[in-house]
Amino acid sequence: MAGLNVSIAFLFLVVGVCQAFRCLSKRLLSPGAYGCLATELAASFQLCASCLELRMLVEIGPWGGGFGPDVVLTLLFILFAVHGASFDGASANPTVSLQEFLLLESSLAATAAKLVAQGAGMGTGWAVTKLYWSWELTQFHLIQNLIASECSSSIHTSLQHAAFAEGTCSFLLHLVLLKLHQSRPTYRVPALAATVTFLTYTAGPFTGAFFNPALAVTTFHCSGSNFWDYVQVYWLGPLAGMLAALLLYQGNIPRLFQKNLLYSQKSKYKVPKVKEKRRQR
């Protein structure tokens, strides 16, 4: 259990460092730069580092530490609840940023800045986590370093099934996001954490359950699948799922066309019915 305690300490250290970075950036940067760059950079770093550590526990923990998937799923739920409470409006997910752009909630420049910050945050999180693993503080990290150079693809099913699984996960996640967009954080945060935990448990054995194009890049170097396979499963699949969720929920895509394709438009203003009064004779 000592190795597990070190991993938990690392996860919450990452959250603490990112939270300190957010507080400092909020004081030094303009609201626009903070919302588009700093929050997405910190959130992406936080998400990448924590997910890589959890993935290492999933792969090595059952036979190297003697604990089952219930421990990792519990950690996943707690961690995503912490993420939801600390991200300060950031998504750390390119499909969510593109959804905001298609909903006219974000400009093209702001969306591009978010995508760049997400890529930088993920890359930095990957580099820092690999450096942390190289210190070999636990037996888990020692084993991780031994097998790192021979990692295999996370796609453990047919290409079509894998793309469908990632697309379905993205579809369900975006439906929940759209439904809970105006909800209070006390309801939205645990609901999203439960959704991510359920989707990870369901799709994890088939694709690793990334449903985040930026996070999935961390596995593109592994052998067993080529670059185009990864693009189809981890980029096109989640993008298609997001578009399907948006179209189903809205009936249209506001950035592309205004006409509602699925639902009839009802007038917001009701015309009062005038009742003719019969004169009593």
Side-chain angles (χ1 to χ4, degrees):
M1 292 298 289
L4 181 61
N5 291 335
V6 172
S7 292
I8 293 174
F10 170 74
L11 294 175
F12 283 96
L13 176 63
V14 167
V15 174
V17 170
C18 290
Q19 188 63 21
F21 175 79
R22 276 186 285 265
C23 292
L24 182 62
S25 300
K26 200 168 189 177
R27 294 182 178 181
L28 299 178
L29 299 178
S30 65
Y34 172 75
C36 294
L37 295 174
T39 56
E40 291 293 346
L41 181 67
S44 298
F45 176 91
Q46 182 175 322
L47 179 65
C48 182
S50 58
C51 285
L52 285 174
E53 186 73 4
L54 281 177
R55 188 181 178 197
M56 182 271 297
L57 292 177
V58 169
E59 294 176 349
I60 302 175
W63 55 272
F67 54 84
D70 55 327
V71 175
V72 180
L73 289 174
T74 301
L75 279 176
L76 181 66
F77 175 82
I78 295 173
L79 202 59
F80 267 88
V82 173
H83 288 344
S86 63
F87 272 11
D88 197 15
S91 65
N93 189 330
T95 58
V96 176
S97 298
L98 290 175
Q99 175 183 281
E100 294 172 351
F101 173 72
L102 294 175
L103 286 170
L104 304 176
E105 296 175 353
S106 179
S107 66
L108 179 60
T111 302
K114 289 179 181 180
L115 296 179
V116 171
Q118 288 164 3
M122 292 290 177
T124 307
W126 189 12
V128 169
T129 305
K130 289 176 68 176
L131 175 62
Y132 157 69
W133 286 344
S134 69
W135 296 342
E136 297 182 355
L137 299 179
T138 69
Q139 186 178 2
F140 295 153
H141 301 142
L142 174 63
I143 299 172
Q144 174 63 33
N145 287 334
L146 292 175
I147 65 176
S149 60
E150 300 179 359
C151 67
S152 58
S153 172
S154 299
I155 303 174
H156 301 299
T157 183
S158 66
L159 196 62
Q160 294 77 12
H161 185 206
F164 177 77
E166 286 289 309
T168 302
C169 288
S170 178
F171 172 77
L172 295 174
L173 176 65
H174 282 275
L175 274 184
V176 173
L177 284 171
L178 289 166
K179 184 66 177 178
L180 300 177
H181 182 62
Q182 300 296 336
S183 301
R184 296 180 179 178
T186 51
Y187 303 114
R188 184 175 66 253
V189 169
L192 288 175
T195 301
V196 171
T197 303
F198 171 75
L199 294 176
T200 302
Y201 174 77
T202 305
F206 304 108
T207 63
F210 289 95
F211 46 94
N212 182 328
L215 183 61
V217 173
T218 59
T219 194
F220 276 31
H221 68 286
C222 294
S223 60
S225 299
N226 58 47
F227 179 77
W228 178 239
D229 292 341
Y230 286 127
V231 167
Q232 291 181 76
V233 173
Y234 295 119
W235 287 2
L236 298 183
L239 181 61
M242 179 273 289
L243 291 174
L246 183 57
L247 189 60
L248 179 64
Y249 187 82
Q250 288 282 125
N252 70 335
I253 300 178
R255 179 70 64 174
L256 302 180
F257 48 84
Q258 295 296 324
K259 184 179 179 181
N260 198 306
L261 303 179
L262 300 181
Y263 311 113
S264 60
Q265 296 286 351
K266 294 183 179 180
S267 176
K268 297 180 180 180
Y269 305 100
K270 294 183 178 180
V271 179
K273 296 181 179 179
V274 180
K275 296 182 179 180
E276 296 182 357
K277 294 182 180 180
R278 295 181 180 179
R279 294 181 180 178
Q280 296 181 355
R281 295 182 178 177

